[in-house]
Every structure is written in C-alpha cells, then in structure tokens.
Amino acid sequence: MPFSRNRLLAAAIFAGAMTMQAHAAVAPLELVGPVAEYKLYVNENIDKFVEDVRKFTDAVKAGKIDEARALFAPTRMSYERIEPVAELFSDLDASIDSRADDHEKAEKDPGFIGFHRIEYALWEEKSTDKVGDVADKLMADVLELQKRLAQLTFPPEKVVGGAAVLMEEVAATKISGEEDRYSHTDLWDFQANFEGSYHIFELLRPLVEREDKAFVEKTDGNFKTVFDTLAKYKTAEGGFQSYEKLTDRDRKILAGRVNTLAEDLSQMRGMLGLD
Amino acid sequence: MSGSHSDSREPSGSLSRRHWLKGAASLAGLGALPVHAQKPPADSQVTDAPHSLRTDERVSCWGEHQAGIVTPRPSAGMVASFDVIATDRKELERLLRGLSERIVFLTQGGEVPKLDPRLPPADSGIMGPRVQPDGLTITVSVGNSLFDDRFGLQDRKPRHLQRMSAHPNDALDAALCHGDLSIQFCSNTPDTNIHALRDIIKQFPDLLILLWKQEGTVPPVPEKPGVPPESARNFLGFRDGSANPNANDSTAMSQIVWVGPDDEGEPAWAHGGSYQAVRIIRNFVERWDRTPLQEQEAIFGRQRDSGAPLDGGKTEHDVPDFTKDPEGKKTPLDSHIRLANPRTKGSEKNLILRRPFNYSNGVTKSGQLEMGLLFICYQSNLEKGFITVQKRLDGEPLEEYIKPIGGGFFYALPGMRDKQDWLGRTLLSAA
C-alpha cells in the first residue's frame, strides 16, 4: 500500500470522520517558482528537440540510413521528457508521435506519419524513399510545437500532475516495448520519461517534503531503483541497449516501480492542494 | 470448413430449426415459470439497475480452510495470476498480511473511506460508497515459482507442487500460464469480482504484477421444488459437475480436497490447504454444434439433456455401472466420464473437486467464437488428482473439440483462523 494513502486511510478511519481533507497547506504563490522553473525546463528541451529533429530529418532526407538510425532515439528524448506538456496539443502529438496501431490500416495507413513512420522506414523498409515528405512534415510540426509552447501559460495542476502522467504513459503502453517496436530503442524513451517525471518531483520536493517526508523518501527510493535498473543497460557510447536485452526480471522490477510511482505521484496534486 | 457448405445449408435447415426452437422454448417457458414472475413493474425505466436479493450474502473468510473451495459456486468467477515483485521475505509478509486485510474488507463489506476530493478516491467506486459482500470469496494460492531462491522458501514447497507442463493436446500460450500467486474471485456478479481485483491491483502496485486473468460465469437454472439440484451446463451444452464429490461431506473433503497430517511428505504449514489446478480450455463450439447429438453423447458418456449416464437412468444423479459394460457398448471406453472416473477399485484416489466457470472472450482471427471452460479443481494430491486424471484423458475423442491454452498449478494456502490471523502465516513462520 502506498504509504501516504495508507496514512490518509488510517487517519480517516481513526478520526471517525468519513470525509478527509488533504493537507493543502501550500499557498498558491509557493507554486509560482517551481512552475516558472518548469517552463524553463520545457523551453530547454523543446529548443534541443528542434535542433535534433533538424539533424535527424536532414539525414533522413539525404538517405543516410545509418546516421538517421543513430539519431532516432537520442532525438526523441527531449520530447519524451516533456511529453505531458507536449501532449496538450493533441493534433501535434498525433502527427509527431502516433503509432501504427493508432491507424486503421496500421503501417499502410496514409495517416501514419511522424517519428514512428520514419522508424518503420529505417528499420523495416530499410529505405527512406517514401518518407521524404514525412520528414518535412515532422520538422514543420516540431517548429509549430515550439511556437505554441512559447505562448502557453502553464497551469500548475498540469505541471504537478505531469509527473504522474509520465508514469501512466510508461505503465499503459511502453513497458511492453510496443512504442519503438521496429528499432527497440524503448529504453531511451523510458529514461527520458523518468527524467521528466523526476524533474517535476525535484522542483516540488521542498513543498512535498513539508507535507509528507515519508512520501518523498519512498518516491526517491523508487526513482533510484528505476534509474539503477536502467543504468545496467547503458552502453559505452552513452546510449542504451536494445529493449530485447531487458531481462524478464528487470522488466518486472521496472513495471512494479512504474505502477507504484504512478499510484503515489497521482496524490501529489491533492497533497499540494491543487484542484 | 468451407463457406459454401454453410451457405447452402442456411435457407432450409436453419430457418425451420429456428422456428422449431422458438416453439419449443415458449412451450417450455409456459410450463416452467409463472408468467408474472418475469414481468417488471410498470414504472421501470430502461436503465434501472436490475434488482438482486443477494447483495447482502456474506461468506466468512475465516476458518481452517479458505473460502471459495468447498463453498457452493456462485454465478461469476475469475482467476487472476500475478508475479510477486516483493524483494525479500519481509516484503512478502507485507503482501500477504495486506492481502488478508483487503480480503476481510472486500468479502465482509463496509463503508469505503471518503478522502479529500482533490485526491484520487480510495477505491474504484463501482460498488458505490458501501461495499456489499455479494457472496464474494477470495482464494489465494501460491505457485511453484514462489518457492525459488527469492524468498528462501525452497525447502517449504508442498510435496506435489510443480510447474504445469503441457499435455499432448495443449497449445499453451505463455502469456496465459503460471504465476507466483493466483487469486480466485467468486461472487454473484462479475462487477463484484472486478471491483475486488481492481482494489487489490491499486493497493499493491509495488508487490504484485498482473500476468493474466480469466473471467467466467455459470448459468443459473430455475428452482424446481422436490427435484434434486442440477449441475450447470458448460458451453458444449452438457452438464458439468455431475458426480462431483459431495462438498458437504467433511470426511470426504478431508480425503479428496484438504491436505492434512495423513498426506505423507507434506509440510505441516500446508495442512488445511489444497492444490489448485486451473486450465483455460478453449471449446470449438461451431464444430461441436455441427456434430450429431449421438456422437456428442458418446464423446461425453452422458445424455445431453438429462445428464443421465448412457447405461440407463433418468438424471445426472444416477450412477453408471461400468462393470456391466466391459466392452463399452453403452458407455464407450474412451468417453470423457469413463476415462475421467473409471470407477474401478482404487480410482477413488483420483477424485478431484471441480469448480469450473464458462468463459467467453471474443472472436478468433478465423472468425470463430473464443469461448470455453475456465476449469478449476481442488485436490489433496495434485499427482493423483488432476495430473493422473488428465493423463487418462489424453487422447480422448473430446480433444477434437477442445484446446487447453492456459492455466497453472497453485497451492491454496490454509485459511485465516481468526481476525488476528493472516494468509500465509504458517508458510512464512514455519521453521
């Protein structure tokens, strides 16, 4: 049982009160700092993303398959770190990052574009002949995303909630290795999702610590397990081994920690008194 | 089977058959049930919840044995299998103590705590603010893999517990097999089981990972005063459960179902538990429905409608006498019931207590129904029970119509003795 809810439940039962108030001692002003810092983090990531996508799509358009393959996973990382915010623009998320099974005719569907269409070209079709336009569109979408993010006001509940959303992403569809099914570079995405979630948690740490010290310790421990487990799969070049190398045991360790983080981080909004 | 064949049969055969069925059904309906019993009140609305008189049914979760084994089977069942991701014995104990607490709450019922609405709610809410027991039992069993080196329990494994191995007709799907822990949920409604499963998943994300689950149902039959209770039918249309041992006979149960001091080589901690065999057995129902009735009956060794054995008798309760039919002229030697229970001297040692549910999952890639039997049985000796019986059944004519695709062997832990006790206490505290 996640510790903090355990405590809440116990409190509810022993107090005999069937309605329980969350701590809510955090003043809205106290969130201004963390939210502003998070905005900087998002900006850094989107700038890096634009730069990386340019190199990646250039390689694709030049038919440099090996180079494009090498750039695929690292390019995605800055997107995966800020996925909860990037996904606020669902039209762009669909065209940048949808998977074959989001489309009726799967890989053959003309609506299947973006990163995973190019991934399919690089690893399955082993040719970039058909994806020149897809690369152009990807670059345009990413520039559009950068523009929209610059104008976005960050709602605190979205920022705080984002930590849990990243874990839900991993838990629901990534832990199975279905995200990067052609390249098996999923561990890069995992790393980035965890980094993004951990960054939010770090920004809020002083506030959360005041509310529930044990929660912070437990969450720190779970993140540490996750990063340690992933570190086992780092390569000498600073990347990650293929998802297929992930042992069943480690996959389960990751799945368990992801579920626990998703469950625990889902309480952070309430804990900080956010609606 | 070719498409043209079934197309050509459609106009003449199917229509007249449907017509006949409709007539028969309405006649039977008139005979069996008073018409007003089925009529809803005049002011009922389309989306009114159906009424149940059974939501308050409460099965005790305390005793020498776990509930859900000799408990009469309600109409909805589910088996969920998990991997335990606890990292040491202490965490395993936290899991088993925690599970026991949740089982008490879920099976006995009570108010769900109300939390601050800015937090996720304490449960899924699908039973409403007050959890009704609805006849729920939750039965926890442990798999062979729990006794590997992770928890230092290697020397405590029940004598016959083993990883389920494939029989010749099996096509086991790795994603539907085995597990460290199985939890069987049984209650009056599928939603009650789902609520309990979701509760457990939410409570123990750091200790359990769901591997697979299979739900099933049992069709209710009308009560017929003065007539002995009937076994429910499976998706092949036959009664499943005839000749099951009498679960009210505690002497028989202590021999057939419960592991105790008489079971040689069993660790003392396991006394009061039972071996659980789970099999997800797909039925090829389209093919079955295209098989002549007499062939179906010869395959099972029973009459379909009454359940009576083929050597005479009127009901499923009549006992066949195979000694008078040594050549299998009435009940074929390779019929299901004769192979499963030959009723020869010594074969009583192979008795098992069956507790199956029918499952229906969707459609296969070939456009056939994916349905069959969620077979569950309990026994005091897995070798002499399920494994021996299944070996006798290997190669039976019924195999043309069935395909086991999943399941596993588990050991149902001894019961929680009282409110201070917890499931698995004897296992973890054994010397």
Side-chain angles (χ1 to χ4, degrees), chain B residues 137-323:
Chain B
T137 60
I138 301 178
T139 313
V140 176
S141 310
V142 291
N144 183 58
S145 50
L146 196 83
F147 296 89
D148 63 17
D149 55 4
R150 282 172 292 164
F151 307 109
L153 299 174
Q154 296 97 317
D155 56 351
R156 300 186 191 178
K157 193 164 80 168
R159 184 179 173 193
H160 301 292
L161 189 59
Q162 55 194 278
R163 192 171 191 270
M164 180 179 77
S165 47
H167 286 259
N169 187 43
D170 294 4
L172 298 178
D173 175 350
L176 295 174
C177 290
H178 317 302
D180 290 334
L181 192 95
S182 82
I183 307 184
Q184 175 197 267
F185 301 88
C186 300
S187 71
N188 298 324
T189 39
D191 303 65
T192 301
N193 295 338
I194 289 167
H195 173 264
L197 174 68
R198 280 174 60 177
D199 186 278
I200 285 169
I201 288 173
K202 188 172 176 62
Q203 297 293 335
F204 307 106
D206 53 340
L207 296 170
L208 287 178
I209 290 187
L210 183 62
L211 293 179
W212 52 268
K213 78 158 170 59
Q214 182 60 62
E215 292 174 70
T217 53
V218 180
V221 294
E223 240 183 277
K224 293 179 192 160
V227 176
E230 300 169 322
S231 303
R233 291 180 192 276
N234 58 24
F235 277 152
L236 299 178
F238 279 71
R239 294 181 193 279
D240 194 345
S242 314
N244 217 12
N246 178 3
N248 297 312
D249 178 344
S250 57
T251 314
M253 289 302 101
S254 69
Q255 282 162 8
I256 299 167
V257 173
W258 306 121
V259 169
D262 294 343
D263 293 294
E264 208 184 309
E266 293 291 4
W269 75 261
H271 294 170
S274 183
Y275 290 94
Q276 177 194 57
V278 179
R279 303 268 286 171
I280 302 172
I281 306 172
R282 198 188 147 203
N283 294 171
F284 301 121
V285 295
E286 288 88 348
R287 182 170 181 185
W288 183 252
D289 292 345
R290 294 188 278 252
T291 300
L293 180 61
Q294 59 186 20
E295 203 174 313
Q296 293 185 358
E297 293 184 332
I299 285 170
F300 267 109
R302 288 188 182 275
Q303 294 175 33
R304 188 182 73 161
D305 291 352
S306 65
L310 293 182
D311 63 354
K314 287 197 164 52
T315 76
E316 59 176 313
H317 302 289
D318 292 307
V319 178
D321 186 353
F322 298 142
T323 58

Side-chain angles (χ1 to χ4, degrees), chain B residues 79-100:
Chain B
V79 174
S81 169
F82 299 85
D83 260 346
V84 172
I85 49 169
T87 47
D88 55 27
R89 180 97 60 91
K90 219 174 112 197
E91 285 211 312
L92 180 62
E93 178 171 335
R94 178 162 68 89
L95 169 64
L96 291 167
R97 281 179 182 270
L99 268 179
S100 304

